[in-house]
Amino acid sequence: MKLAPRARKAVLTVHIVSSGAWIGIDVLVAVLVGVGLAGGSDAARGLALRALAEFVVAPMLISGLVCLGSGVLLGLATKWGLVRYWWVAVKLVMNVLLCVLIVVALQPGMADVGAAGVAIEAGQVPATDLSNLVFPPAVSLTMLAVATLLSVYKPGGRRRSRTAPRGVSGGTTRAMSEARPTVHA
Ligand code: HEM
């Protein structure tokens, strides 16, 4: 599969915007968690936790899936491939892992977080231990920062490939020429 240069640029734009949106939503989550755990009045803490439970997971998952879909399209439609280069393969694994974590680890706890927000607003002690809430934004922001670094620097080094003949660099695009020399398995 090959994309025309204009189409590739359009998909790349979608990819960059969705990854930026994802990072932005993660920053918002970090702020809401910070306020929810340590932010001043009960009203502010409760509101932050209810907003976190109510509004965050869906846009986060959507931006993650758009980033994944556009990234896979870019990988398949360019000479970077999906698993040909370490930097793309690692991003693929991290993107899938983060989306799975949103569904299986983050979403199921949101009802309790919302209930904790309501309890705090009512001046009660929440039934749920909220301290684990620091992990989702910390883990996600770290992985997305690593993914962004990998995307920008595109560290050289091809994965072992039975189809790639020795001595063929396989890259002629602008982005390929910016990458460090490839190391063949
Ligand atoms: C984990 C979250 C991800 C982030 C934060 C991210 C970020 C980025 C950014 C900022 C660029 C632009 C780099 C540049 O033009 O110099 C880019 C390009 C690219 N990304 Fe991602 N990406 C992610 C996931 C993925 C996934 C899952 C794939 C595919 C499996 C992928 C494949 C690519 C490819 C092939 C390019 C180069 C496109 C080209 O130059 O034609 N990315 N990514």
Side-chain angles (χ1 to χ4, degrees):
M1 188 172 75
K2 196 95 172 76
L3 278 178
R6 273 188 169 194
R8 179 190 149 264
K9 280 187 180 170
V11 178
L12 183 58
T13 303
V14 170
H15 188 61
I16 292 172
V17 169
S18 60
S19 70
W22 193 0
I23 291 170
I25 292 166
D26 266 344
V27 171
L28 175 66
V29 169
V31 170
L32 291 176
V33 167
V35 173
L37 294 183
S41 68
D42 285 350
R45 291 185 60 207
L47 181 61
L49 292 172
R50 284 195 300 113
L52 181 63
E54 204 68 44
F55 301 120
V56 165
V57 174
M60 187 193 275
L61 183 60
I62 290 168
S63 56
L65 290 175
V66 173
C67 185
L68 178 63
S70 54
V72 167
L73 196 54
L74 284 170
L76 290 175
T78 65
K79 291 183 177 180
W80 293 114
L82 262 194
V83 290
R84 195 176 300 150
Y85 286 85
W86 283 111
W87 68 270
V88 183
V90 169
K91 288 204 312 176
L92 178 60
V93 171
M94 288 198 301
N95 201 148
V96 170
L97 187 67
L98 284 173
C99 286
V100 169
L101 283 175
I102 291 170
V103 174
V104 304
L106 192 63
Q107 168 60 31
M110 284 299 115
D112 287 347
V113 171
V118 172
I120 289 173
E121 279 176 329
Q124 298 161 0
V125 178
T128 319
D129 174 19
L130 298 170
S131 58
N132 285 343
L133 276 180
V134 297
F135 292 112
V139 169
S140 187
L141 277 172
T142 303
M143 288 174 85
L144 291 178
V146 170
T148 305
L149 278 172
L150 289 174
S151 311
V152 172
Y153 287 94
K154 298 179 175 67
R158 289 179 75 144
R159 293 184 66 250
R160 180 184 295 273
S161 162
R162 260 176 291 163
T163 53
R166 292 177 79 88
V168 177
S169 79
T172 54
T173 63
R174 177 194 61 78
M176 295 288 278
S177 64
E178 284 174 1
R180 292 220 305 267
T182 51
V183 177
H184 297 282

